[in-house]
Amino acid sequence: MTLSHLIKFASVAALTVTILSPAAFAQDSDDPAPWSMADKYWGADVMARSREAVQKSNGNIPNFMIMGDRLEWQDTDGDGSFLWDAQGWFGGDINKLYIKTEGEYALEDEEIEDAEVQALYSRAIAPFWDLQAGVRYDLEPKGRTHAVLGVQGLAPYWFEIDAAAFLSTDGDLSASVEAEYDLRFTQRITLQPRAEIGFSATDIPELDIGSGITNLDAGLRLRYEIRREFAPYIGVEWQKSFGDTADFVRRSGGDPDKIVAVIGLRTWF
Amino acid sequence: MYNRRRFLTSSLGAGAALGVSGLVPAWAVSASEGNMGIPALTGTNFDLEVSKFKTRINGRVASAVGVNGSIPAPLIRFREGDDITLNVKNTLDVDTSIHWHGLLVPFQMDGVPGVTFPGIKPGETFTYKYAVPQNGTYWYHSHSGLQEQSGHYGPIIIDPKDADPVSYDREYVLMLGDWTFTDPHRIFAKLKKNAESLNFNQATVSNPKGLLGMWGAMRMSPNDLADVTGETYTYVINGHSTADNFDMVFNPGERVRLRIINAAAMTLFNVRMPGLPMTVVQADGLNVRPVETDEFQMGVAEVYDVIVEPTEAKPFAFVAESIDRSGQVVATLAPKPGMRAKASALRAVPTLTMKDMGMDHSSMGGMDGMDHDATTDMNAKPSAQMDHSKMGHDMGAMSDGKMGGMDHAAPDHAAMGHGPNPNGPPVQLAKMEADIEVGPGVVNVAAMPTNRLDEPGIGLSDVPHRTLTYSQLRSLEPNQDTRKPGREVVVHLTSNMERYMWSFDGVKFSEVKESIKFMEGERVRLTMVNNTMMPHPIHLHGMFFDVVIPGYENGTHMPRKHTIVVKPGEKLSVDVTAEHVGDWAFHCHLIYHMHAGMMQVVSVLPNPQKMTPMMMKSMPADHSKMDHSKMGHDNMKEAK
């Protein structure tokens, strides 16, 4: 990751925020006051300010969330690796800015093997679904930029879904679908099955990606919620590559079909 | 007068060994001297100071925002009709306010920032002045931010100017509360991030109802009885947890009046006194025909006065249990001070049913909410389009200059909503109802909402003793206004629990462009449809709800309430006499629901040709014999 990458990403993120902000926070000031009978007792100006404040504070207070869904050590080749999968949002009920990041740090090689960050405008379009659009920047490997279009939400029977398609500046089209489920054994012990599947429309040899279904990660994580916001977990994950992708992995000395143990932390605030 | 809580606050350091009940407990002064277990102020002139202070709750130091340094705030007691002056000084570094819950004050004295006044700025002293034509048990609280959650609430007793129809030997005020040691804004933020995170009664492998079937398919939880639970809250009575034991004394044979006020921020309580029947004599400050019962559910902001007559010289428990049964608080009524009643264990947690989703197919037969034929064309944005031919024939609406276009030459009186004439054709009320659509803020539109006024509340249907229902209540005094409503305004209670969005008609308060309009002098039917899975205590400022009880629609003693719980999947109606001109707040009294947007304003517009309820009553009911020339048509031109 270089400074120029950071700058590139920051400028894209800033642009996204700029595009978002009018939609998210515009106030239509030309409308007549929704009620105004108190104006004659206390003055129109002072009531106008007070009215605006009370309306804003009952339904339009921006919020934020930062969620480290998977902050974990994986028992992969060598000393294993550290994986992060986190996202944060800022905004109101309908419009939000999302930042998502995911990556892997190989402990033996002491280098980031894989890292990406996304900045997305997210709009609530249905009771349980947000439509998201923005950019993804790959910090490792290479410095690719992708346009992102996706949906995130809650499917029937409480499956959490995050699905997105990516179109890179080189014209490569890929996609990923993530599904998570919380199966509670008690009010604090939860088993989380999780699956992530990748697709690519084309071969991208320089990224070790073949066309078709590229990979499947299917895991089980058992967490204990010391607090709702702070839950350490243990688990296992099956990491499988398919087709040409598997060949690429094999050629570069990796194992396209392996089961790894994980230990980590899920936290949000 | 002795300010007990103040004493406790100042003696926290040195007096820790004295315990929370302090040196001068509730019973030390007899009831006739006005002791309520909380500091009391009486007279016509009251000085109140809103400040941030430390107090002690459940043995822990608590940081409170309140009035005169106590939780609850001091009891304010005055006489019906007296001219009252209340000087409220704000020593906080943020705005504050006091709303007089249930008091019929001039609207500019109602105390809702942004609606009736600008609020009280830091350092400012605001003077409220009013006289109210009512007596009974009421309360007051902040209407600013989330201050109520931090202790900014207190009781009001208005003594009747004539003899009190309720006789009693002793009285106590019991203010139920849900205290938290967490910053209320953090609680709200948490609900927005993860609405279920404070619920520790979620579906599990061994209790999978919410995971599968209709519940799972619709992503709704049958275990979502309360957004904020005993995990977060310490339930209190007059600021006392169970451990702090608020204790009251009685002499066997006495009639003890308990004035019970639910001043919680988010908690509906089940109230009972095991082994002691309670006779409800007052609801929301207004006397009701006595009803004996064993348990009742209290929505936030509701008030019930009960009489108990313990004859045995033993301690009785007063139990206020959270609706989701995640916690409770117990007080003691005992023959001697310092006794402690045995706390009963928490009962099994109830779950919601399809009826709570507004999908009870079994009760389709008696549905009144399904007749869309006559109202489809009326489905419009709130207060947008009205079919004037069906307008209520209240004089107010007709003389309003904005209501042009009515054909006075050939008025179709049959359709003008004089109320049903038993001999004439059925009359359809002019109905105003917003078109509710499912979307990000509205998960569900109840397909078959039912009237549930004859049910005691979630979890109380199968308890082995008597429970109170709204349909049992009758006003002690005859209703002043028995006119039939001329108009029906339908308000939908809407939500998306997953996003923690709450609203009326799918519109958050922050998005409201127009208030709901009532006309001065008008009798209007307000129908509320709860499309959500939670009970909502709905409060309309400045007016009382005359509860329309099925089978008692034409009754003369309809119970009158300032706050009514609309149960999940319920459709209920209340009739309202819009007497007092002004902008009146209208909201769910669960504070985080209001904070999320479940609020509106009802504007009672001045009527130049005022028609009081009494005038309306003296008018002939048979329209054919009415002399229309005397009904104000002559004056229409002048009015315009």
Side-chain angles (χ1 to χ4, degrees), chain A residues 37 42 50 55 59 93 127 130 154 157-158 184 187 228-229, chain B residues 114 116 190 192 199 202 205 210 216 219 496 499 508-509 583:
Chain A
M37 277 194 264
W42 315 109
S50 179
Q55 282 201 271
D93 291 324
D130 291 351
L154 191 64
Y157 304 100
W158 308 100
R184 291 189 178 281
Q187 294 303 318
R228 283 274 191 258
E229 302 93 325
Chain B
T116 74
K190 239 183 229 193
K192 277 283 185 193
N199 181 351
Q202 299 189 22
V205 175
R219 288 146 284 182
N496 183 346
R499 298 185 193 277
K508 295 184 292 179
F509 192 56
D583 293 323

PDB file of all heavy atoms in Angstrom, chain A residues 37 42 50 55 59 93 127 130 154 157-158 184 187 228-229, chain B residues 114 116 190 192 199 202 205 210 216 219 496 499 508-509 583:
ATOM      1  N   MET A  37     -49.154  28.346  15.601  1.00  0.00           N
ATOM      2  CA  MET A  37     -50.007  29.165  16.468  1.00  0.00           C
ATOM      3  C   MET A  37     -49.263  29.784  17.649  1.00  0.00           C
ATOM      4  O   MET A  37     -49.715  30.767  18.216  1.00  0.00           O
ATOM      5  CB  MET A  37     -51.211  28.344  16.924  1.00  0.00           C
ATOM      6  CG  MET A  37     -52.324  28.347  15.889  1.00  0.00           C
ATOM      7  SD  MET A  37     -53.887  27.730  16.531  1.00  0.00           S
ATOM      8  CE  MET A  37     -53.815  26.041  16.015  1.00  0.00           C
ATOM      9  N   TRP A  42     -44.709  34.013  21.210  1.00  0.00           N
ATOM     10  CA  TRP A  42     -43.278  34.025  21.504  1.00  0.00           C
ATOM     11  C   TRP A  42     -42.437  34.584  20.367  1.00  0.00           C
ATOM     12  O   TRP A  42     -41.220  34.679  20.493  1.00  0.00           O
ATOM     13  CB  TRP A  42     -42.791  32.596  21.825  1.00  0.00           C
ATOM     14  CG  TRP A  42     -43.712  31.853  22.752  1.00  0.00           C
ATOM     15  CD1 TRP A  42     -44.508  30.812  22.445  1.00  0.00           C
ATOM     16  CD2 TRP A  42     -43.939  32.135  24.137  1.00  0.00           C
ATOM     17  NE1 TRP A  42     -45.221  30.407  23.551  1.00  0.00           N
ATOM     18  CE2 TRP A  42     -44.895  31.201  24.605  1.00  0.00           C
ATOM     19  CE3 TRP A  42     -43.431  33.080  25.044  1.00  0.00           C
ATOM     20  CZ2 TRP A  42     -45.354  31.187  25.925  1.00  0.00           C
ATOM     21  CZ3 TRP A  42     -43.890  33.064  26.349  1.00  0.00           C
ATOM     22  CH2 TRP A  42     -44.838  32.126  26.775  1.00  0.00           C
ATOM     23  N   SER A  50     -36.984  26.907  17.044  1.00  0.00           N
ATOM     24  CA  SER A  50     -37.359  25.863  17.989  1.00  0.00           C
ATOM     25  C   SER A  50     -38.080  24.713  17.281  1.00  0.00           C
ATOM     26  O   SER A  50     -37.860  23.537  17.580  1.00  0.00           O
ATOM     27  CB  SER A  50     -38.240  26.494  19.059  1.00  0.00           C
ATOM     28  OG  SER A  50     -38.662  25.551  19.984  1.00  0.00           O
ATOM     29  N   GLN A  55     -38.255  19.168  15.412  1.00  0.00           N
ATOM     30  CA  GLN A  55     -38.532  18.197  14.341  1.00  0.00           C
ATOM     31  C   GLN A  55     -37.292  17.364  14.038  1.00  0.00           C
ATOM     32  O   GLN A  55     -37.379  16.146  13.877  1.00  0.00           O
ATOM     33  CB  GLN A  55     -39.016  18.911  13.073  1.00  0.00           C
ATOM     34  CG  GLN A  55     -40.480  19.325  13.167  1.00  0.00           C
ATOM     35  CD  GLN A  55     -41.104  19.560  11.798  1.00  0.00           C
ATOM     36  OE1 GLN A  55     -41.046  20.651  11.275  1.00  0.00           O
ATOM     37  NE2 GLN A  55     -41.703  18.534  11.232  1.00  0.00           N
ATOM     38  N   GLY A  59     -36.627  12.228  14.941  1.00  0.00           N
ATOM     39  CA  GLY A  59     -36.692  11.460  13.705  1.00  0.00           C
ATOM     40  C   GLY A  59     -35.560  11.702  12.727  1.00  0.00           C
ATOM     41  O   GLY A  59     -35.445  10.983  11.745  1.00  0.00           O
ATOM     42  N   ASP A  93     -31.861   7.331   8.609  1.00  0.00           N
ATOM     43  CA  ASP A  93     -32.578   6.070   8.431  1.00  0.00           C
ATOM     44  C   ASP A  93     -32.545   5.594   6.986  1.00  0.00           C
ATOM     45  O   ASP A  93     -32.516   4.400   6.717  1.00  0.00           O
ATOM     46  CB  ASP A  93     -34.048   6.236   8.845  1.00  0.00           C
ATOM     47  CG  ASP A  93     -34.196   6.444  10.341  1.00  0.00           C
ATOM     48  OD1 ASP A  93     -33.422   5.826  11.093  1.00  0.00           O
ATOM     49  OD2 ASP A  93     -35.076   7.224  10.757  1.00  0.00           O
ATOM     50  N   PRO A 127     -38.260  -2.464   3.375  1.00  0.00           N
ATOM     51  CA  PRO A 127     -38.137  -2.594   4.827  1.00  0.00           C
ATOM     52  C   PRO A 127     -36.810  -3.180   5.289  1.00  0.00           C
ATOM     53  O   PRO A 127     -36.209  -2.695   6.245  1.00  0.00           O
ATOM     54  CB  PRO A 127     -39.288  -3.528   5.192  1.00  0.00           C
ATOM     55  CG  PRO A 127     -40.342  -3.241   4.176  1.00  0.00           C
ATOM     56  CD  PRO A 127     -39.583  -2.949   2.900  1.00  0.00           C
ATOM     57  N   ASP A 130     -31.118  -2.460   1.689  1.00  0.00           N
ATOM     58  CA  ASP A 130     -30.439  -1.238   1.259  1.00  0.00           C
ATOM     59  C   ASP A 130     -29.786  -1.492  -0.098  1.00  0.00           C
ATOM     60  O   ASP A 130     -29.173  -2.542  -0.304  1.00  0.00           O
ATOM     61  CB  ASP A 130     -29.337  -0.860   2.244  1.00  0.00           C
ATOM     62  CG  ASP A 130     -29.892  -0.397   3.580  1.00  0.00           C
ATOM     63  OD1 ASP A 130     -31.125  -0.204   3.681  1.00  0.00           O
ATOM     64  OD2 ASP A 130     -29.091  -0.240   4.515  1.00  0.00           O
ATOM     65  N   LEU A 154     -31.639  -8.047   5.136  1.00  0.00           N
ATOM     66  CA  LEU A 154     -32.057  -9.199   5.922  1.00  0.00           C
ATOM     67  C   LEU A 154     -33.088  -9.967   5.101  1.00  0.00           C
ATOM     68  O   LEU A 154     -34.160  -9.454   4.795  1.00  0.00           O
ATOM     69  CB  LEU A 154     -32.672  -8.704   7.230  1.00  0.00           C
ATOM     70  CG  LEU A 154     -32.958  -9.719   8.322  1.00  0.00           C
ATOM     71  CD1 LEU A 154     -31.674 -10.355   8.823  1.00  0.00           C
ATOM     72  CD2 LEU A 154     -33.682  -9.029   9.474  1.00  0.00           C
ATOM     73  N   TYR A 157     -36.420 -15.362   7.165  1.00  0.00           N
ATOM     74  CA  TYR A 157     -35.820 -16.305   8.115  1.00  0.00           C
ATOM     75  C   TYR A 157     -34.476 -15.819   8.635  1.00  0.00           C
ATOM     76  O   TYR A 157     -33.621 -16.605   9.018  1.00  0.00           O
ATOM     77  CB  TYR A 157     -35.738 -17.721   7.511  1.00  0.00           C
ATOM     78  CG  TYR A 157     -37.093 -18.198   7.057  1.00  0.00           C
ATOM     79  CD1 TYR A 157     -37.460 -18.146   5.713  1.00  0.00           C
ATOM     80  CD2 TYR A 157     -38.044 -18.633   7.987  1.00  0.00           C
ATOM     81  CE1 TYR A 157     -38.724 -18.531   5.309  1.00  0.00           C
ATOM     82  CE2 TYR A 157     -39.312 -19.017   7.589  1.00  0.00           C
ATOM     83  CZ  TYR A 157     -39.653 -18.965   6.240  1.00  0.00           C
ATOM     84  OH  TYR A 157     -40.912 -19.332   5.853  1.00  0.00           O
ATOM     85  N   TRP A 158     -34.322 -14.509   8.656  1.00  0.00           N
ATOM     86  CA  TRP A 158     -33.231 -13.868   9.381  1.00  0.00           C
ATOM     87  C   TRP A 158     -31.843 -14.135   8.813  1.00  0.00           C
ATOM     88  O   TRP A 158     -30.876 -14.198   9.562  1.00  0.00           O
ATOM     89  CB  TRP A 158     -33.256 -14.256  10.869  1.00  0.00           C
ATOM     90  CG  TRP A 158     -34.576 -14.049  11.532  1.00  0.00           C
ATOM     91  CD1 TRP A 158     -35.513 -15.009  11.780  1.00  0.00           C
ATOM     92  CD2 TRP A 158     -35.112 -12.832  12.077  1.00  0.00           C
ATOM     93  NE1 TRP A 158     -36.599 -14.472  12.428  1.00  0.00           N
ATOM     94  CE2 TRP A 158     -36.377 -13.138  12.631  1.00  0.00           C
ATOM     95  CE3 TRP A 158     -34.639 -11.512  12.149  1.00  0.00           C
ATOM     96  CZ2 TRP A 158     -37.187 -12.187  13.229  1.00  0.00           C
ATOM     97  CZ3 TRP A 158     -35.441 -10.566  12.760  1.00  0.00           C
ATOM     98  CH2 TRP A 158     -36.694 -10.906  13.294  1.00  0.00           C
ATOM     99  N   ARG A 184     -29.017 -18.834  17.912  1.00  0.00           N
ATOM    100  CA  ARG A 184     -28.745 -18.673  19.341  1.00  0.00           C
ATOM    101  C   ARG A 184     -28.999 -19.968  20.103  1.00  0.00           C
ATOM    102  O   ARG A 184     -30.066 -20.560  19.963  1.00  0.00           O
ATOM    103  CB  ARG A 184     -29.634 -17.578  19.925  1.00  0.00           C
ATOM    104  CG  ARG A 184     -29.274 -16.205  19.441  1.00  0.00           C
ATOM    105  CD  ARG A 184     -30.017 -15.107  20.201  1.00  0.00           C
ATOM    106  NE  ARG A 184     -29.574 -13.816  19.709  1.00  0.00           N
ATOM    107  CZ  ARG A 184     -28.420 -13.245  20.082  1.00  0.00           C
ATOM    108  NH1 ARG A 184     -27.654 -13.840  20.970  1.00  0.00           N
ATOM    109  NH2 ARG A 184     -28.055 -12.089  19.565  1.00  0.00           N
ATOM    110  N   GLN A 187     -29.061 -16.843  25.349  1.00  0.00           N
ATOM    111  CA  GLN A 187     -29.094 -15.415  25.059  1.00  0.00           C
ATOM    112  C   GLN A 187     -27.692 -14.854  24.804  1.00  0.00           C
ATOM    113  O   GLN A 187     -27.549 -13.750  24.315  1.00  0.00           O
ATOM    114  CB  GLN A 187     -29.776 -14.652  26.197  1.00  0.00           C
ATOM    115  CG  GLN A 187     -31.257 -14.995  26.345  1.00  0.00           C
ATOM    116  CD  GLN A 187     -32.042 -14.751  25.067  1.00  0.00           C
ATOM    117  OE1 GLN A 187     -31.859 -13.752  24.377  1.00  0.00           O
ATOM    118  NE2 GLN A 187     -32.930 -15.679  24.718  1.00  0.00           N
ATOM    119  N   ARG A 228     -23.331  -7.607  24.299  1.00  0.00           N
ATOM    120  CA  ARG A 228     -23.783  -7.734  22.917  1.00  0.00           C
ATOM    121  C   ARG A 228     -22.719  -7.197  21.960  1.00  0.00           C
ATOM    122  O   ARG A 228     -22.546  -7.693  20.853  1.00  0.00           O
ATOM    123  CB  ARG A 228     -25.077  -6.941  22.708  1.00  0.00           C
ATOM    124  CG  ARG A 228     -26.299  -7.620  23.264  1.00  0.00           C
ATOM    125  CD  ARG A 228     -26.896  -8.603  22.265  1.00  0.00           C
ATOM    126  NE  ARG A 228     -28.210  -9.065  22.671  1.00  0.00           N
ATOM    127  CZ  ARG A 228     -28.452 -10.246  23.219  1.00  0.00           C
ATOM    128  NH1 ARG A 228     -27.468 -11.109  23.417  1.00  0.00           N
ATOM    129  NH2 ARG A 228     -29.680 -10.596  23.559  1.00  0.00           N
ATOM    130  N   GLU A 229     -22.017  -6.173  22.425  1.00  0.00           N
ATOM    131  CA  GLU A 229     -21.071  -5.471  21.557  1.00  0.00           C
ATOM    132  C   GLU A 229     -19.690  -6.120  21.552  1.00  0.00           C
ATOM    133  O   GLU A 229     -18.798  -5.656  20.841  1.00  0.00           O
ATOM    134  CB  GLU A 229     -20.896  -4.011  22.020  1.00  0.00           C
ATOM    135  CG  GLU A 229     -22.153  -3.197  22.055  1.00  0.00           C
ATOM    136  CD  GLU A 229     -22.820  -3.233  23.422  1.00  0.00           C
ATOM    137  OE1 GLU A 229     -22.760  -4.285  24.098  1.00  0.00           O
ATOM    138  OE2 GLU A 229     -23.415  -2.217  23.809  1.00  0.00           O
TER     139      GLU A 229
ATOM    140  N   GLY B 114     -40.873  23.972  20.548  1.00  0.00           N
ATOM    141  CA  GLY B 114     -41.067  23.878  19.102  1.00  0.00           C
ATOM    142  C   GLY B 114     -42.509  23.736  18.685  1.00  0.00           C
ATOM    143  O   GLY B 114     -42.821  23.784  17.511  1.00  0.00           O
ATOM    144  N   THR B 116     -45.425  24.576  21.391  1.00  0.00           N
ATOM    145  CA  THR B 116     -46.235  25.548  22.133  1.00  0.00           C
ATOM    146  C   THR B 116     -45.414  26.707  22.699  1.00  0.00           C
ATOM    147  O   THR B 116     -45.967  27.701  23.119  1.00  0.00           O
ATOM    148  CB  THR B 116     -46.968  24.884  23.308  1.00  0.00           C
ATOM    149  OG1 THR B 116     -46.026  24.614  24.358  1.00  0.00           O
ATOM    150  CG2 THR B 116     -47.633  23.584  22.881  1.00  0.00           C
ATOM    151  N   LYS B 190     -27.810   2.846  20.483  1.00  0.00           N
ATOM    152  CA  LYS B 190     -27.698   1.392  20.436  1.00  0.00           C
ATOM    153  C   LYS B 190     -28.906   0.774  19.734  1.00  0.00           C
ATOM    154  O   LYS B 190     -28.769  -0.155  18.937  1.00  0.00           O
ATOM    155  CB  LYS B 190     -27.641   0.850  21.864  1.00  0.00           C
ATOM    156  CG  LYS B 190     -26.401   0.057  22.168  1.00  0.00           C
ATOM    157  CD  LYS B 190     -26.481  -0.502  23.572  1.00  0.00           C
ATOM    158  CE  LYS B 190     -25.209  -0.194  24.307  1.00  0.00           C
ATOM    159  NZ  LYS B 190     -25.084  -0.954  25.553  1.00  0.00           N
ATOM    160  N   LYS B 192     -30.681   2.150  17.497  1.00  0.00           N
ATOM    161  CA  LYS B 192     -30.573   2.451  16.071  1.00  0.00           C
ATOM    162  C   LYS B 192     -29.561   1.535  15.390  1.00  0.00           C
ATOM    163  O   LYS B 192     -29.727   1.159  14.236  1.00  0.00           O
ATOM    164  CB  LYS B 192     -30.144   3.905  15.875  1.00  0.00           C
ATOM    165  CG  LYS B 192     -31.289   4.896  15.951  1.00  0.00           C
ATOM    166  CD  LYS B 192     -32.101   4.886  14.665  1.00  0.00           C
ATOM    167  CE  LYS B 192     -33.180   5.953  14.684  1.00  0.00           C
ATOM    168  NZ  LYS B 192     -34.157   5.748  13.595  1.00  0.00           N
ATOM    169  N   ASN B 199     -32.516  -6.690  24.075  1.00  0.00           N
ATOM    170  CA  ASN B 199     -33.478  -7.750  24.388  1.00  0.00           C
ATOM    171  C   ASN B 199     -32.720  -9.040  24.687  1.00  0.00           C
ATOM    172  O   ASN B 199     -32.018  -9.567  23.828  1.00  0.00           O
ATOM    173  CB  ASN B 199     -34.415  -7.927  23.182  1.00  0.00           C
ATOM    174  CG  ASN B 199     -35.468  -9.002  23.418  1.00  0.00           C
ATOM    175  OD1 ASN B 199     -35.426  -9.733  24.403  1.00  0.00           O
ATOM    176  ND2 ASN B 199     -36.408  -9.094  22.505  1.00  0.00           N
ATOM    177  N   GLN B 202     -34.408 -13.403  23.263  1.00  0.00           N
ATOM    178  CA  GLN B 202     -34.539 -13.649  21.827  1.00  0.00           C
ATOM    179  C   GLN B 202     -34.762 -15.133  21.560  1.00  0.00           C
ATOM    180  O   GLN B 202     -34.491 -15.981  22.399  1.00  0.00           O
ATOM    181  CB  GLN B 202     -33.289 -13.150  21.109  1.00  0.00           C
ATOM    182  CG  GLN B 202     -33.081 -11.652  21.301  1.00  0.00           C
ATOM    183  CD  GLN B 202     -31.979 -11.095  20.432  1.00  0.00           C
ATOM    184  OE1 GLN B 202     -31.620 -11.674  19.415  1.00  0.00           O
ATOM    185  NE2 GLN B 202     -31.423  -9.964  20.832  1.00  0.00           N
ATOM    186  N   VAL B 205     -32.504 -21.900  19.923  1.00  0.00           N
ATOM    187  CA  VAL B 205     -32.734 -23.239  19.391  1.00  0.00           C
ATOM    188  C   VAL B 205     -33.844 -23.942  20.177  1.00  0.00           C
ATOM    189  O   VAL B 205     -34.677 -24.651  19.615  1.00  0.00           O
ATOM    190  CB  VAL B 205     -31.426 -24.060  19.478  1.00  0.00           C
ATOM    191  CG1 VAL B 205     -31.661 -25.500  19.047  1.00  0.00           C
ATOM    192  CG2 VAL B 205     -30.359 -23.413  18.611  1.00  0.00           C
ATOM    193  N   GLY B 210     -39.711 -17.645  16.956  1.00  0.00           N
ATOM    194  CA  GLY B 210     -39.440 -16.467  16.138  1.00  0.00           C
ATOM    195  C   GLY B 210     -38.582 -16.732  14.915  1.00  0.00           C
ATOM    196  O   GLY B 210     -38.400 -15.865  14.065  1.00  0.00           O
ATOM    197  N   GLY B 216     -40.481 -16.005  11.083  1.00  0.00           N
ATOM    198  CA  GLY B 216     -39.199 -15.936  10.402  1.00  0.00           C
ATOM    199  C   GLY B 216     -39.337 -15.344   9.011  1.00  0.00           C
ATOM    200  O   GLY B 216     -38.522 -14.542   8.579  1.00  0.00           O
ATOM    201  N   ARG B 219     -39.708 -11.749   9.225  1.00  0.00           N
ATOM    202  CA  ARG B 219     -38.624 -11.149  10.003  1.00  0.00           C
ATOM    203  C   ARG B 219     -39.179 -10.320  11.167  1.00  0.00           C
ATOM    204  O   ARG B 219     -38.819  -9.170  11.381  1.00  0.00           O
ATOM    205  CB  ARG B 219     -37.712 -10.297   9.115  1.00  0.00           C
ATOM    206  CG  ARG B 219     -36.849 -11.133   8.196  1.00  0.00           C
ATOM    207  CD  ARG B 219     -36.605 -10.466   6.883  1.00  0.00           C
ATOM    208  NE  ARG B 219     -37.774 -10.556   6.017  1.00  0.00           N
ATOM    209  CZ  ARG B 219     -37.828 -10.096   4.780  1.00  0.00           C
ATOM    210  NH1 ARG B 219     -36.799  -9.500   4.260  1.00  0.00           N
ATOM    211  NH2 ARG B 219     -38.922 -10.212   4.055  1.00  0.00           N
ATOM    212  N   ASN B 496     -40.635   0.226  11.625  1.00  0.00           N
ATOM    213  CA  ASN B 496     -39.718  -0.812  11.193  1.00  0.00           C
ATOM    214  C   ASN B 496     -38.775  -1.056  12.352  1.00  0.00           C
ATOM    215  O   ASN B 496     -37.839  -0.292  12.582  1.00  0.00           O
ATOM    216  CB  ASN B 496     -38.943  -0.383   9.942  1.00  0.00           C
ATOM    217  CG  ASN B 496     -38.038  -1.491   9.426  1.00  0.00           C
ATOM    218  OD1 ASN B 496     -37.782  -2.478  10.119  1.00  0.00           O
ATOM    219  ND2 ASN B 496     -37.540  -1.327   8.211  1.00  0.00           N
ATOM    220  N   ARG B 499     -34.923  -1.255  11.659  1.00  0.00           N
ATOM    221  CA  ARG B 499     -34.201   0.024  11.504  1.00  0.00           C
ATOM    222  C   ARG B 499     -34.475   0.960  12.676  1.00  0.00           C
ATOM    223  O   ARG B 499     -34.039   2.106  12.681  1.00  0.00           O
ATOM    224  CB  ARG B 499     -34.642   0.723  10.211  1.00  0.00           C
ATOM    225  CG  ARG B 499     -34.348  -0.043   8.938  1.00  0.00           C
ATOM    226  CD  ARG B 499     -34.722   0.785   7.714  1.00  0.00           C
ATOM    227  NE  ARG B 499     -34.749   0.021   6.487  1.00  0.00           N
ATOM    228  CZ  ARG B 499     -33.661  -0.258   5.755  1.00  0.00           C
ATOM    229  NH1 ARG B 499     -32.495   0.171   6.137  1.00  0.00           N
ATOM    230  NH2 ARG B 499     -33.770  -0.975   4.654  1.00  0.00           N
ATOM    231  N   LYS B 508     -42.250  10.302   9.703  1.00  0.00           N
ATOM    232  CA  LYS B 508     -41.597  10.671  10.947  1.00  0.00           C
ATOM    233  C   LYS B 508     -41.877  12.151  11.264  1.00  0.00           C
ATOM    234  O   LYS B 508     -42.103  12.942  10.361  1.00  0.00           O
ATOM    235  CB  LYS B 508     -40.083  10.461  10.850  1.00  0.00           C
ATOM    236  CG  LYS B 508     -39.681   9.005  10.689  1.00  0.00           C
ATOM    237  CD  LYS B 508     -38.163   8.862  10.708  1.00  0.00           C
ATOM    238  CE  LYS B 508     -37.522   9.490   9.485  1.00  0.00           C
ATOM    239  NZ  LYS B 508     -36.062   9.369   9.500  1.00  0.00           N
ATOM    240  N   PHE B 509     -41.811  12.495  12.549  1.00  0.00           N
ATOM    241  CA  PHE B 509     -42.067  13.878  12.955  1.00  0.00           C
ATOM    242  C   PHE B 509     -41.153  14.841  12.208  1.00  0.00           C
ATOM    243  O   PHE B 509     -41.568  15.936  11.824  1.00  0.00           O
ATOM    244  CB  PHE B 509     -41.852  14.013  14.468  1.00  0.00           C
ATOM    245  CG  PHE B 509     -42.365  15.313  15.037  1.00  0.00           C
ATOM    246  CD1 PHE B 509     -43.686  15.697  14.856  1.00  0.00           C
ATOM    247  CD2 PHE B 509     -41.542  16.135  15.791  1.00  0.00           C
ATOM    248  CE1 PHE B 509     -44.164  16.895  15.397  1.00  0.00           C
ATOM    249  CE2 PHE B 509     -42.008  17.320  16.338  1.00  0.00           C
ATOM    250  CZ  PHE B 509     -43.321  17.703  16.139  1.00  0.00           C
ATOM    251  N   ASP B 583     -51.885  24.507  19.043  1.00  0.00           N
ATOM    252  CA  ASP B 583     -51.150  23.376  18.474  1.00  0.00           C
ATOM    253  C   ASP B 583     -50.817  22.427  19.624  1.00  0.00           C
ATOM    254  O   ASP B 583     -50.148  22.811  20.586  1.00  0.00           O
ATOM    255  CB  ASP B 583     -49.856  23.858  17.808  1.00  0.00           C
ATOM    256  CG  ASP B 583     -50.127  24.712  16.576  1.00  0.00           C
ATOM    257  OD1 ASP B 583     -51.081  24.400  15.851  1.00  0.00           O
ATOM    258  OD2 ASP B 583     -49.389  25.689  16.352  1.00  0.00           O
TER     259      ASP B 583
END
